[in-house]
């Protein structure tokens, strides 16, 4: 019984971690994050880079799920502009 519980715990922890948005890995003190202005998007709003290999230490583009298409142009969807509501501050 103990082995089953331990395996179930590891499986559940891994599943929860897979669903967790990645943490913010740099300082964001003083960042402005509003619908009108979002300092995060200066580096991460790169829809053309989604799925492409990126250089080490280059910013991760916001994922496809964060975009909506407006007049054929990808824009950050209304529910995804407040990055810190899902992404925890790592540093």
């Amino acid at each position: 019984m103990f082995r089953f519980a331990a395996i179930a715990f590891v499986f559940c922890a891994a599943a929860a971690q897979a669903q967790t948005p990645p943490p913010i890995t740099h300082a964001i003190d003083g960042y402005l994050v509003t619908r009108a202005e979002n300092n995060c998007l200066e580096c991460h709003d790169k829809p053309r880079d989604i799925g492409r290999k990126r250089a080490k230490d280059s910013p991760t583009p916001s994922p496809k799920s964060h975009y909506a298409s407006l007049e054929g142009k990808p824009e950050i969807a209304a529910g995804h502009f407040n990055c810190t509501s899902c992404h925890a501050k790592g540093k």
Side-chain angles (χ1 to χ4, degrees):
M1 182 67 173
F2 177 73
R3 283 186 188 167
F4 176 75
I7 291 169
F9 175 78
V10 170
F11 177 76
C12 290
Q17 190 173 31
Q19 298 297 322
T20 304
I24 299 169
T25 59
H26 54 80
I28 59 168
D29 296 334
Y31 272 35
L32 184 60
V33 179
T34 67
R35 180 75 176 132
E37 188 169 336
N38 183 330
N39 294 134
C40 301
L41 297 180
E42 291 175 15
C43 295
H44 297 283
D45 186 15
K46 307 263 190 259
R48 69 185 176 281
D49 292 342
I50 295 171
R52 292 184 178 173
K53 188 170 181 155
R54 57 188 182 90
K56 185 179 180 191
D57 296 327
S58 67
T60 302
S62 297
K64 186 176 182 179
S65 63
H66 286 38
Y67 288 91
S69 183
L70 300 175
E71 298 177 13
K73 181 178 184 263
E75 297 282 339
I76 292 291
H80 292 285
F81 75 90
N82 187 357
C83 308
T84 56
S85 67
C86 297
H87 298 272
K89 299 173 194 174
K91 287 188 178 185

